Amino acid sequence: MRTVTLEVASRESVNRRFLQAFEGEPHGDVISFESPALLFKVLSGKRWEVLNVMTGAGPMAIRDLARRLDRDVKAVHGDVHALLNAGILQKTEDGKVSFPFDALHVDFILKEAA
């Protein structure tokens, strides 16, 4: 099963993981956000629904996705492009969109302010 992890991480942490991966240490599929606010801005409730419908469904046209969601094509188009820009969705050669993972894991810790 291929799982993508969405995390909140500092630039230093992301750079450190990049260097470790460059040296051959695998880290799996990870997409990092600078803050919880940015993570939740990208992953609004409607976008979670997009990911829920797309998980395990294979590549599909935005129009088909909108039909499955029972939503306006233009609104779904905007959500899909936000998820594409974040690297969560991918575009296929034939112009369809794909969620190339079997599962999504979100990982961050909310700590007391310093």
Side-chain angles (χ1 to χ4, degrees):
M1 177 166 71
R2 187 171 175 208
T3 301
V4 62
T5 299
L6 305 181
E7 70 171 6
V8 174
S10 67
R11 172 69 66 192
E12 294 79 24
S13 175
V14 171
N15 289 344
R16 187 172 40 255
R17 188 174 58 246
F18 173 78
L19 292 174
Q20 291 169 341
F22 188 72
E23 293 173 358
E25 187 178 324
H27 288 274
D29 296 303
V30 179
I31 299 172
S32 300
F33 294 85
E34 290 186 85
S35 68
L38 182 57
L39 174 98
F40 290 120
K41 179 179 179 182
V42 171
L43 290 172
S44 66
K46 295 292 185 184
R47 293 177 187 159
W48 278 110
E49 291 174 14
V50 167
L51 295 175
N52 187 46
V53 167
M54 293 195 72
T55 302
M60 67 179 75
I62 293 174
R63 186 171 299 284
D64 293 333
L65 177 58
R67 215 174 285 124
R68 290 181 188 203
L69 291 165
D70 194 28
R71 290 183 52 207
D72 176 69
V73 174
K74 187 175 179 180
V76 172
H77 183 271
D79 288 339
V80 163
H81 279 275
L83 294 168
L84 285 167
N85 290 338
I88 299 168
L89 295 182
Q90 295 177 357
K91 204 164 212 177
T92 63
E93 288 182 16
D94 61 355
K96 294 182 178 180
V97 291
S98 171
F99 179 64
F101 307 99
D102 302 307
L104 181 139
H105 174 83
V106 179
D107 186 20
F108 73 93
I109 297 173
L110 181 64
K111 295 190 280 187
E112 178 180 6

